[in-house]
Amino acid sequence: MKNRVEDVAAVRAVIEQYVEGSSGNASLLRSIFHPDALMSGYFGGHPGVGSPEPFFEEVDKMDPNAPAGNYRGEIEAVEVIGDVATARLVETDFLGSGFVDFFHLIRLDGAWKIVSKTYHQEQ
């Protein structure tokens, strides 16, 4: 049980880094995503499936020293089974929108990496 509690905390820490990086630190985001990660979802009512690189590029345009405004990310759930995990994050006021994000993570060489993110933009 101890390992499971530690694993949940480790996955939670990765998602907390995601929230931190989403405020303007694309290099932090790139460090927590696997190089072959996928990002899929609906933005502005249009589906998108592909690399998270366009997301990273948008974050790169943000001023990391600017106040985050009302942006918040709340981790609603984390589930770990062995070396795979899921997490659900609710974001408010990210670039003026709310999102619900579903992450899949895998532990590789002892480190948790995001391998996919599926998101829904709330209107």
Side-chain angles (χ1 to χ4, degrees):
M1 184 61 139
K2 179 181 177 195
N3 287 344
R4 187 174 171 86
V5 170
E6 291 170 354
D7 288 344
V8 167
V11 168
R12 183 175 285 278
V14 171
I15 304 305
E16 288 169 353
Q17 287 179 306
Y18 173 88
V19 172
E20 179 184 341
S22 293
S23 295
N25 188 343
S27 63
L28 175 58
L29 290 172
R30 285 183 179 96
S31 75
I32 60 173
F33 275 79
H34 186 276
D36 296 324
L38 292 174
M39 186 176 284
S40 308
Y42 284 85
F43 186 80
H46 302 284
V49 177
S51 162
E53 192 57 37
F55 170 66
F56 299 153
E57 291 170 4
E58 285 302 312
V59 171
D60 267 335
K61 295 176 187 175
M62 301 168 84
D63 179 357
N65 298 315
N70 294 326
Y71 172 67
R72 272 188 35 175
E74 189 72 33
I75 301 169
E76 284 193 334
V78 173
E79 181 71 31
V80 178
I81 305 294
D83 291 325
V84 298
T86 64
R88 184 175 65 242
L89 176 72
V90 175
E91 296 179 284
T92 55
D93 202 20
F94 179 76
L95 299 177
S97 292
F99 291 87
V100 178
D101 305 324
F102 300 92
F103 296 92
H104 289 105
L105 299 89
I106 188 168
R107 183 175 17 215
L108 297 168
D109 299 322
W112 289 99
K113 295 290 183 177
I114 298 169
V115 293
S116 71
K117 172 188 166 189
T118 305
Y119 60 91
H120 171 76
Q121 180 187 25
E122 299 188 316
Q123 301 294 330

